[in-house]
Amino acid sequence: MRSVTVITVLAAFYLLASVRYFPGQPLETLLATLGHMLQSLPLLAAVTYLVVLVVRKVAGQVPSLFGIARIFLLIALGYEFLFALHHYTTVAGGP
């Protein structure tokens, strides 16, 4: 039960972090969010695969599906954080 709760919370944070909001334009928000998620999914899946390979090599066993999902969501949240930092500093003209 604890694993499902952790995965649900991580997934909610990931969805919240990946939303591309356009005020007053819900369809544009949905399309931009889906487009961003579809573009980042291959990179996140590849990095997750590599991390799972390293974990398997070090620990000697493959993580459970909940473990793999947790790894994927943690990598995705880190990616979204770095992408937001990039967007803030270069695109939006941060400090």
Side-chain angles (χ1 to χ4, degrees), residues 65-83:
L65 286 178
F66 286 117
I68 293 172
R70 190 179 310 141
I71 290 170
F72 172 79
L73 289 169
L74 288 174
I75 290 171
L77 282 169
Y79 171 78
E80 288 298 331
F81 174 74
L82 292 175
F83 189 76

Side-chain angles (χ1 to χ4, degrees), residues 49-63:
Y49 180 72
L50 291 175
V51 169
V52 168
L53 286 179
V54 169
V55 168
R56 186 179 75 183
K57 186 73 169 176
V58 170
Q61 61 184 8
V62 179

